[in-house]
PDB file of all heavy atoms in Angstrom:
ATOM      1  N   ALA A   1      37.259 -32.533 -11.113  1.00 96.00           N
ATOM      2  CA  ALA A   1      37.809 -33.906 -11.252  1.00 96.00           C
ATOM      3  C   ALA A   1      39.138 -33.927 -11.953  1.00 96.00           C
ATOM      4  O   ALA A   1      40.003 -34.734 -11.483  1.00 96.00           O
ATOM      5  CB  ALA A   1      36.726 -34.738 -11.997  1.00 96.00           C
ATOM      6  N   ALA A   2      39.334 -33.097 -12.950  1.00 97.00           N
ATOM      7  CA  ALA A   2      40.637 -33.025 -13.528  1.00 97.00           C
ATOM      8  C   ALA A   2      41.778 -32.664 -12.631  1.00 97.00           C
ATOM      9  O   ALA A   2      42.817 -33.287 -12.683  1.00 97.00           O
ATOM     10  CB  ALA A   2      40.512 -32.202 -14.816  1.00 97.00           C
ATOM     11  N   LEU A   3      41.451 -31.640 -11.818  1.00 95.00           N
ATOM     12  CA  LEU A   3      42.495 -31.193 -10.943  1.00 95.00           C
ATOM     13  C   LEU A   3      42.884 -32.349  -9.878  1.00 95.00           C
ATOM     14  O   LEU A   3      44.044 -32.568  -9.610  1.00 95.00           O
ATOM     15  CB  LEU A   3      42.068 -30.004 -10.095  1.00 95.00           C
ATOM     16  CG  LEU A   3      42.056 -28.594 -10.651  1.00 95.00           C
ATOM     17  CD1 LEU A   3      41.789 -27.517  -9.705  1.00 95.00           C
ATOM     18  CD2 LEU A   3      43.607 -28.378 -11.129  1.00 95.00           C
ATOM     19  N   GLU A   4      41.825 -32.881  -9.404  1.00 93.00           N
ATOM     20  CA  GLU A   4      42.004 -34.049  -8.318  1.00 93.00           C
ATOM     21  C   GLU A   4      42.611 -35.348  -8.962  1.00 93.00           C
ATOM     22  O   GLU A   4      43.268 -36.024  -8.229  1.00 93.00           O
ATOM     23  CB  GLU A   4      40.710 -34.261  -7.676  1.00 93.00           C
ATOM     24  CG  GLU A   4      40.236 -33.178  -6.852  1.00 93.00           C
ATOM     25  CD  GLU A   4      38.791 -33.047  -6.534  1.00 93.00           C
ATOM     26  OE1 GLU A   4      38.024 -34.039  -6.878  1.00 93.00           O
ATOM     27  OE2 GLU A   4      38.273 -31.947  -5.961  1.00 93.00           O
ATOM     28  N   GLU A   5      42.470 -35.540 -10.254  1.00 96.00           N
ATOM     29  CA  GLU A   5      43.118 -36.670 -10.828  1.00 96.00           C
ATOM     30  C   GLU A   5      44.391 -36.202 -11.623  1.00 96.00           C
ATOM     31  O   GLU A   5      45.021 -37.193 -12.233  1.00 96.00           O
ATOM     32  CB  GLU A   5      42.082 -37.269 -11.958  1.00 96.00           C
ATOM     33  CG  GLU A   5      40.865 -37.816 -11.278  1.00 96.00           C
ATOM     34  CD  GLU A   5      39.769 -38.129 -12.268  1.00 96.00           C
ATOM     35  OE1 GLU A   5      40.025 -38.057 -13.493  1.00 96.00           O
ATOM     36  OE2 GLU A   5      38.614 -38.313 -11.887  1.00 96.00           O
ATOM     37  N   GLY A   6      44.832 -35.126 -11.573  1.00 95.00           N
ATOM     38  CA  GLY A   6      46.139 -34.673 -12.180  1.00 95.00           C
ATOM     39  C   GLY A   6      46.158 -34.694 -13.615  1.00 95.00           C
ATOM     40  O   GLY A   6      47.260 -35.091 -14.199  1.00 95.00           O
ATOM     41  N   ARG A   7      45.088 -34.325 -14.257  1.00 97.00           N
ATOM     42  CA  ARG A   7      45.034 -34.346 -15.783  1.00 97.00           C
ATOM     43  C   ARG A   7      44.462 -33.066 -16.253  1.00 97.00           C
ATOM     44  O   ARG A   7      43.727 -32.362 -15.494  1.00 97.00           O
ATOM     45  CB  ARG A   7      44.247 -35.555 -16.217  1.00 97.00           C
ATOM     46  CG  ARG A   7      42.794 -35.492 -15.659  1.00 97.00           C
ATOM     47  CD  ARG A   7      41.933 -36.562 -16.308  1.00 97.00           C
ATOM     48  NE  ARG A   7      40.531 -36.593 -15.768  1.00 97.00           N
ATOM     49  CZ  ARG A   7      39.639 -35.826 -16.010  1.00 97.00           C
ATOM     50  NH1 ARG A   7      39.804 -34.869 -17.042  1.00 97.00           N
ATOM     51  NH2 ARG A   7      38.393 -35.860 -15.430  1.00 97.00           N
ATOM     52  N   PRO A   8      44.586 -32.730 -17.540  1.00 97.00           N
ATOM     53  CA  PRO A   8      43.854 -31.584 -18.136  1.00 97.00           C
ATOM     54  C   PRO A   8      42.444 -31.887 -18.245  1.00 97.00           C
ATOM     55  O   PRO A   8      42.037 -32.921 -18.554  1.00 97.00           O
ATOM     56  CB  PRO A   8      44.500 -31.410 -19.519  1.00 97.00           C
ATOM     57  CG  PRO A   8      45.764 -32.283 -19.498  1.00 97.00           C
ATOM     58  CD  PRO A   8      45.575 -33.392 -18.471  1.00 97.00           C
ATOM     59  N   ALA A   9      41.584 -30.769 -17.958  1.00 98.00           N
ATOM     60  CA  ALA A   9      40.144 -31.013 -18.024  1.00 98.00           C
ATOM     61  C   ALA A   9      39.834 -30.987 -19.556  1.00 98.00           C
ATOM     62  O   ALA A   9      40.638 -30.636 -20.378  1.00 98.00           O
ATOM     63  CB  ALA A   9      39.476 -29.731 -17.344  1.00 98.00           C
ATOM     64  N   GLU A  10      38.554 -31.490 -19.778  1.00 97.00           N
ATOM     65  CA  GLU A  10      38.165 -31.508 -21.141  1.00 97.00           C
ATOM     66  C   GLU A  10      38.195 -30.166 -21.848  1.00 97.00           C
ATOM     67  O   GLU A  10      38.372 -30.029 -23.002  1.00 97.00           O
ATOM     68  CB  GLU A  10      36.702 -32.013 -21.124  1.00 97.00           C
ATOM     69  CG  GLU A  10      36.102 -32.349 -22.532  1.00 97.00           C
ATOM     70  CD  GLU A  10      34.723 -32.887 -22.456  1.00 97.00           C
ATOM     71  OE1 GLU A  10      33.725 -32.141 -22.386  1.00 97.00           O
ATOM     72  OE2 GLU A  10      34.581 -34.156 -22.433  1.00 97.00           O
ATOM     73  N   THR A  11      37.967 -29.134 -20.993  1.00 98.00           N
ATOM     74  CA  THR A  11      37.918 -27.789 -21.499  1.00 98.00           C
ATOM     75  C   THR A  11      39.188 -26.990 -21.007  1.00 98.00           C
ATOM     76  O   THR A  11      39.188 -25.781 -20.976  1.00 98.00           O
ATOM     77  CB  THR A  11      36.709 -27.033 -21.132  1.00 98.00           C
ATOM     78  OG1 THR A  11      36.590 -26.872 -19.650  1.00 98.00           O
ATOM     79  CG2 THR A  11      35.437 -27.715 -21.641  1.00 98.00           C
ATOM     80  N   ASP A  12      40.282 -27.711 -20.818  1.00 98.00           N
ATOM     81  CA  ASP A  12      41.523 -27.046 -20.552  1.00 98.00           C
ATOM     82  C   ASP A  12      41.981 -26.107 -21.660  1.00 98.00           C
ATOM     83  O   ASP A  12      41.589 -26.387 -22.815  1.00 98.00           O
ATOM     84  CB  ASP A  12      42.601 -28.114 -20.274  1.00 98.00           C
ATOM     85  CG  ASP A  12      43.921 -27.550 -19.796  1.00 98.00           C
ATOM     86  OD1 ASP A  12      44.045 -27.407 -18.526  1.00 98.00           O
ATOM     87  OD2 ASP A  12      44.846 -27.178 -20.649  1.00 98.00           O
ATOM     88  N   SER A  13      42.745 -25.095 -21.320  1.00 98.00           N
ATOM     89  CA  SER A  13      43.259 -24.125 -22.304  1.00 98.00           C
ATOM     90  C   SER A  13      43.946 -24.770 -23.505  1.00 98.00           C
ATOM     91  O   SER A  13      43.959 -24.213 -24.588  1.00 98.00           O
ATOM     92  CB  SER A  13      44.044 -23.087 -21.679  1.00 98.00           C
ATOM     93  OG  SER A  13      45.160 -23.667 -21.052  1.00 98.00           O
ATOM     94  N   LEU A  14      44.611 -25.956 -23.215  1.00 97.00           N
ATOM     95  CA  LEU A  14      45.297 -26.668 -24.266  1.00 97.00           C
ATOM     96  C   LEU A  14      44.414 -27.107 -25.389  1.00 97.00           C
ATOM     97  O   LEU A  14      44.790 -27.108 -26.544  1.00 97.00           O
ATOM     98  CB  LEU A  14      46.024 -27.867 -23.680  1.00 97.00           C
ATOM     99  CG  LEU A  14      47.227 -27.595 -22.839  1.00 97.00           C
ATOM    100  CD1 LEU A  14      47.716 -28.899 -22.087  1.00 97.00           C
ATOM    101  CD2 LEU A  14      48.380 -27.050 -23.693  1.00 97.00           C
ATOM    102  N   ASP A  15      43.164 -27.355 -25.025  1.00 97.00           N
ATOM    103  CA  ASP A  15      42.189 -27.706 -26.060  1.00 97.00           C
ATOM    104  C   ASP A  15      41.374 -26.559 -26.472  1.00 97.00           C
ATOM    105  O   ASP A  15      41.116 -26.282 -27.678  1.00 97.00           O
ATOM    106  CB  ASP A  15      41.193 -28.786 -25.482  1.00 97.00           C
ATOM    107  CG  ASP A  15      40.095 -29.212 -26.436  1.00 97.00           C
ATOM    108  OD1 ASP A  15      40.381 -30.021 -27.309  1.00 97.00           O
ATOM    109  OD2 ASP A  15      38.994 -28.551 -26.347  1.00 97.00           O
ATOM    110  N   ASN A  16      40.937 -25.646 -25.507  1.00 97.00           N
ATOM    111  CA  ASN A  16      40.058 -24.544 -25.863  1.00 97.00           C
ATOM    112  C   ASN A  16      40.721 -23.588 -26.810  1.00 97.00           C
ATOM    113  O   ASN A  16      40.059 -22.806 -27.423  1.00 97.00           O
ATOM    114  CB  ASN A  16      39.595 -23.896 -24.545  1.00 97.00           C
ATOM    115  CG  ASN A  16      38.382 -23.005 -24.699  1.00 97.00           C
ATOM    116  OD1 ASN A  16      38.482 -21.773 -24.501  1.00 97.00           O
ATOM    117  ND2 ASN A  16      37.282 -23.656 -25.103  1.00 97.00           N
ATOM    118  N   ILE A  17      42.064 -23.541 -26.873  1.00 97.00           N
ATOM    119  CA  ILE A  17      42.689 -22.552 -27.694  1.00 97.00           C
ATOM    120  C   ILE A  17      42.324 -22.815 -29.119  1.00 97.00           C
ATOM    121  O   ILE A  17      42.326 -21.939 -29.922  1.00 97.00           O
ATOM    122  CB  ILE A  17      44.317 -22.726 -27.591  1.00 97.00           C
ATOM    123  CG1 ILE A  17      44.994 -21.584 -28.305  1.00 97.00           C
ATOM    124  CG2 ILE A  17      44.797 -24.101 -28.016  1.00 97.00           C
ATOM    125  CD1 ILE A  17      44.865 -20.250 -27.738  1.00 97.00           C
ATOM    126  N   LYS A  18      41.900 -24.093 -29.469  1.00 97.00           N
ATOM    127  CA  LYS A  18      41.459 -24.391 -30.858  1.00 97.00           C
ATOM    128  C   LYS A  18      40.112 -23.729 -31.161  1.00 97.00           C
ATOM    129  O   LYS A  18      39.833 -23.288 -32.262  1.00 97.00           O
ATOM    130  CB  LYS A  18      41.406 -25.867 -31.090  1.00 97.00           C
ATOM    131  CG  LYS A  18      42.729 -26.564 -30.851  1.00 97.00           C
ATOM    132  CD  LYS A  18      42.603 -28.149 -30.860  1.00 97.00           C
ATOM    133  CE  LYS A  18      43.906 -28.802 -30.576  1.00 97.00           C
ATOM    134  NZ  LYS A  18      43.821 -30.265 -30.524  1.00 97.00           N
ATOM    135  N   SER A  19      39.260 -23.632 -30.167  1.00 97.00           N
ATOM    136  CA  SER A  19      37.990 -23.030 -30.370  1.00 97.00           C
ATOM    137  C   SER A  19      38.162 -21.486 -30.346  1.00 97.00           C
ATOM    138  O   SER A  19      37.546 -20.778 -31.124  1.00 97.00           O
ATOM    139  CB  SER A  19      37.066 -23.309 -29.149  1.00 97.00           C
ATOM    140  OG  SER A  19      36.750 -24.697 -29.121  1.00 97.00           O
ATOM    141  N   VAL A  20      39.167 -20.952 -29.573  1.00 97.00           N
ATOM    142  CA  VAL A  20      39.502 -19.550 -29.622  1.00 97.00           C
ATOM    143  C   VAL A  20      40.134 -19.230 -30.945  1.00 97.00           C
ATOM    144  O   VAL A  20      39.811 -18.133 -31.546  1.00 97.00           O
ATOM    145  CB  VAL A  20      40.487 -19.205 -28.447  1.00 97.00           C
ATOM    146  CG1 VAL A  20      41.040 -17.779 -28.626  1.00 97.00           C
ATOM    147  CG2 VAL A  20      39.817 -19.454 -27.069  1.00 97.00           C
ATOM    148  N   ASN A  21      40.791 -20.062 -31.609  1.00 97.00           N
ATOM    149  CA  ASN A  21      41.372 -19.819 -32.841  1.00 97.00           C
ATOM    150  C   ASN A  21      40.311 -19.595 -33.934  1.00 97.00           C
ATOM    151  O   ASN A  21      40.396 -18.871 -34.834  1.00 97.00           O
ATOM    152  CB  ASN A  21      42.274 -21.067 -33.265  1.00 97.00           C
ATOM    153  CG  ASN A  21      43.165 -20.739 -34.519  1.00 97.00           C
ATOM    154  OD1 ASN A  21      43.290 -19.632 -34.890  1.00 97.00           O
ATOM    155  ND2 ASN A  21      43.713 -21.774 -35.061  1.00 97.00           N
ATOM    156  N   MET A  22      39.147 -20.432 -33.758  1.00 98.00           N
ATOM    157  CA  MET A  22      37.975 -20.274 -34.632  1.00 98.00           C
ATOM    158  C   MET A  22      37.454 -18.788 -34.524  1.00 98.00           C
ATOM    159  O   MET A  22      37.017 -18.156 -35.556  1.00 98.00           O
ATOM    160  CB  MET A  22      36.942 -21.250 -34.378  1.00 98.00           C
ATOM    161  CG  MET A  22      37.356 -22.710 -34.610  1.00 98.00           C
ATOM    162  SD  MET A  22      36.139 -23.951 -34.077  1.00 98.00           S
ATOM    163  CE  MET A  22      34.989 -23.871 -35.512  1.00 98.00           C
ATOM    164  N   VAL A  23      37.350 -18.389 -33.254  1.00 97.00           N
ATOM    165  CA  VAL A  23      36.762 -17.019 -32.982  1.00 97.00           C
ATOM    166  C   VAL A  23      37.554 -15.897 -33.677  1.00 97.00           C
ATOM    167  O   VAL A  23      37.147 -15.100 -34.475  1.00 97.00           O
ATOM    168  CB  VAL A  23      36.716 -16.738 -31.570  1.00 97.00           C
ATOM    169  CG1 VAL A  23      36.317 -15.292 -31.223  1.00 97.00           C
ATOM    170  CG2 VAL A  23      35.717 -17.642 -30.864  1.00 97.00           C
ATOM    171  N   PHE A  24      38.845 -15.917 -33.367  1.00 97.00           N
ATOM    172  CA  PHE A  24      39.669 -14.758 -33.855  1.00 97.00           C
ATOM    173  C   PHE A  24      40.108 -14.984 -35.343  1.00 97.00           C
ATOM    174  O   PHE A  24      40.362 -13.981 -36.010  1.00 97.00           O
ATOM    175  CB  PHE A  24      40.887 -14.570 -32.970  1.00 97.00           C
ATOM    176  CG  PHE A  24      40.473 -14.085 -31.590  1.00 97.00           C
ATOM    177  CD1 PHE A  24      40.554 -14.827 -30.469  1.00 97.00           C
ATOM    178  CD2 PHE A  24      39.957 -12.842 -31.493  1.00 97.00           C
ATOM    179  CE1 PHE A  24      40.099 -14.428 -29.232  1.00 97.00           C
ATOM    180  CE2 PHE A  24      39.544 -12.315 -30.273  1.00 97.00           C
ATOM    181  CZ  PHE A  24      39.659 -13.119 -29.121  1.00 97.00           C
ATOM    182  N   GLY A  25      40.035 -16.234 -35.834  1.00 98.00           N
ATOM    183  CA  GLY A  25      40.272 -16.429 -37.260  1.00 98.00           C
ATOM    184  C   GLY A  25      39.016 -15.899 -38.030  1.00 98.00           C
ATOM    185  O   GLY A  25      39.193 -15.273 -39.039  1.00 98.00           O
ATOM    186  N   ALA A  26      37.862 -16.028 -37.468  1.00 98.00           N
ATOM    187  CA  ALA A  26      36.671 -15.482 -38.136  1.00 98.00           C
ATOM    188  C   ALA A  26      36.671 -13.975 -38.158  1.00 98.00           C
ATOM    189  O   ALA A  26      36.398 -13.348 -39.151  1.00 98.00           O
ATOM    190  CB  ALA A  26      35.359 -15.987 -37.403  1.00 98.00           C
ATOM    191  N   VAL A  27      37.140 -13.401 -37.008  1.00 97.00           N
ATOM    192  CA  VAL A  27      37.267 -11.931 -36.989  1.00 97.00           C
ATOM    193  C   VAL A  27      38.304 -11.377 -37.977  1.00 97.00           C
ATOM    194  O   VAL A  27      38.037 -10.451 -38.759  1.00 97.00           O
ATOM    195  CB  VAL A  27      37.657 -11.467 -35.563  1.00 97.00           C
ATOM    196  CG1 VAL A  27      37.965  -9.969 -35.567  1.00 97.00           C
ATOM    197  CG2 VAL A  27      36.509 -11.720 -34.599  1.00 97.00           C
ATOM    198  N   ARG A  28      39.402 -12.104 -38.069  1.00 98.00           N
ATOM    199  CA  ARG A  28      40.480 -11.761 -39.031  1.00 98.00           C
ATOM    200  C   ARG A  28      39.942 -11.850 -40.513  1.00 98.00           C
ATOM    201  O   ARG A  28      40.201 -10.973 -41.284  1.00 98.00           O
ATOM    202  CB  ARG A  28      41.682 -12.627 -38.811  1.00 98.00           C
ATOM    203  CG  ARG A  28      42.922 -12.211 -39.644  1.00 98.00           C
ATOM    204  CD  ARG A  28      44.254 -12.784 -39.106  1.00 98.00           C
ATOM    205  NE  ARG A  28      44.350 -14.226 -39.444  1.00 98.00           N
ATOM    206  CZ  ARG A  28      44.118 -15.224 -38.566  1.00 98.00           C
ATOM    207  NH1 ARG A  28      43.731 -14.993 -37.390  1.00 98.00           N
ATOM    208  NH2 ARG A  28      44.244 -16.496 -38.983  1.00 98.00           N
ATOM    209  N   SER A  29      39.266 -12.954 -40.769  1.00 98.00           N
ATOM    210  CA  SER A  29      38.642 -13.207 -42.145  1.00 98.00           C
ATOM    211  C   SER A  29      37.767 -11.966 -42.481  1.00 98.00           C
ATOM    212  O   SER A  29      37.764 -11.584 -43.651  1.00 98.00           O
ATOM    213  CB  SER A  29      37.936 -14.509 -42.185  1.00 98.00           C
ATOM    214  OG  SER A  29      37.244 -14.646 -43.412  1.00 98.00           O
ATOM    215  N   ALA A  30      36.879 -11.703 -41.548  1.00 98.00           N
ATOM    216  CA  ALA A  30      35.869 -10.582 -41.844  1.00 98.00           C
ATOM    217  C   ALA A  30      36.515  -9.284 -42.103  1.00 98.00           C
ATOM    218  O   ALA A  30      36.136  -8.536 -43.099  1.00 98.00           O
ATOM    219  CB  ALA A  30      34.964 -10.459 -40.612  1.00 98.00           C
ATOM    220  N   LYS A  31      37.587  -8.955 -41.423  1.00 97.00           N
ATOM    221  CA  LYS A  31      38.367  -7.755 -41.623  1.00 97.00           C
ATOM    222  C   LYS A  31      39.168  -7.753 -42.916  1.00 97.00           C
ATOM    223  O   LYS A  31      39.185  -6.727 -43.620  1.00 97.00           O
ATOM    224  CB  LYS A  31      39.340  -7.541 -40.516  1.00 97.00           C
ATOM    225  CG  LYS A  31      38.617  -7.082 -39.138  1.00 97.00           C
ATOM    226  CD  LYS A  31      39.612  -6.896 -38.091  1.00 97.00           C
ATOM    227  CE  LYS A  31      38.938  -6.385 -36.794  1.00 97.00           C
ATOM    228  NZ  LYS A  31      39.889  -6.177 -35.693  1.00 97.00           N
ATOM    229  N   LEU A  32      39.623  -8.894 -43.434  1.00 98.00           N
ATOM    230  CA  LEU A  32      40.424  -9.033 -44.586  1.00 98.00           C
ATOM    231  C   LEU A  32      39.485  -9.247 -45.886  1.00 98.00           C
ATOM    232  O   LEU A  32      39.832  -9.002 -46.910  1.00 98.00           O
ATOM    233  CB  LEU A  32      41.360 -10.172 -44.567  1.00 98.00           C
ATOM    234  CG  LEU A  32      42.501  -9.991 -43.486  1.00 98.00           C
ATOM    235  CD1 LEU A  32      43.364 -11.359 -43.499  1.00 98.00           C
ATOM    236  CD2 LEU A  32      43.481  -8.868 -43.865  1.00 98.00           C
ATOM    237  N   GLY A  33      38.298  -9.779 -45.461  1.00 97.00           N
ATOM    238  CA  GLY A  33      37.353 -10.033 -46.660  1.00 97.00           C
ATOM    239  C   GLY A  33      37.806 -11.223 -47.455  1.00 97.00           C
ATOM    240  O   GLY A  33      37.519 -11.272 -48.673  1.00 97.00           O
ATOM    241  N   GLN A  34      38.484 -12.165 -46.776  1.00 98.00           N
ATOM    242  CA  GLN A  34      38.881 -13.331 -47.501  1.00 98.00           C
ATOM    243  C   GLN A  34      39.007 -14.582 -46.617  1.00 98.00           C
ATOM    244  O   GLN A  34      39.002 -14.435 -45.341  1.00 98.00           O
ATOM    245  CB  GLN A  34      40.251 -13.100 -48.194  1.00 98.00           C
ATOM    246  CG  GLN A  34      41.357 -12.821 -47.174  1.00 98.00           C
ATOM    247  CD  GLN A  34      42.691 -12.368 -47.834  1.00 98.00           C
ATOM    248  OE1 GLN A  34      42.644 -11.600 -48.758  1.00 98.00           O
ATOM    249  NE2 GLN A  34      43.790 -12.828 -47.315  1.00 98.00           N
ATOM    250  N   LYS A  35      39.132 -15.716 -47.197  1.00 98.00           N
ATOM    251  CA  LYS A  35      39.363 -16.949 -46.377  1.00 98.00           C
ATOM    252  C   LYS A  35      40.816 -16.898 -45.763  1.00 98.00           C
ATOM    253  O   LYS A  35      41.753 -16.486 -46.367  1.00 98.00           O
ATOM    254  CB  LYS A  35      39.257 -18.203 -47.252  1.00 98.00           C
ATOM    255  CG  LYS A  35      39.407 -19.513 -46.508  1.00 98.00           C
ATOM    256  CD  LYS A  35      39.033 -20.719 -47.260  1.00 98.00           C
ATOM    257  CE  LYS A  35      40.059 -21.081 -48.286  1.00 98.00           C
ATOM    258  NZ  LYS A  35      39.776 -22.423 -49.045  1.00 98.00           N
TER     259      LYS A  35
END
């Protein structure tokens, strides 16, 4: 629907990058042992 309406999807990479940031932020925190 997003493609056909010419808009970003709800899960477009522009938004999903924020969820990805949580993933790799958590990995980085675990390796550093700190917030």
Side-chain angles (χ1 to χ4, degrees):
L3 277 189
E4 290 157 11
E5 295 167 13
R7 60 173 174 82
E10 187 178 87
T11 60
D12 188 89
S13 57
L14 288 170
D15 178 82
N16 197 244
I17 189 68
K18 299 172 185 177
S19 298
V20 171
N21 194 15
M22 296 175 79
V23 169
F24 293 109
V27 172
R28 190 166 72 253
S29 170
K31 289 181 176 179
L32 293 174
Q34 62 187 45
K35 181 171 79 172

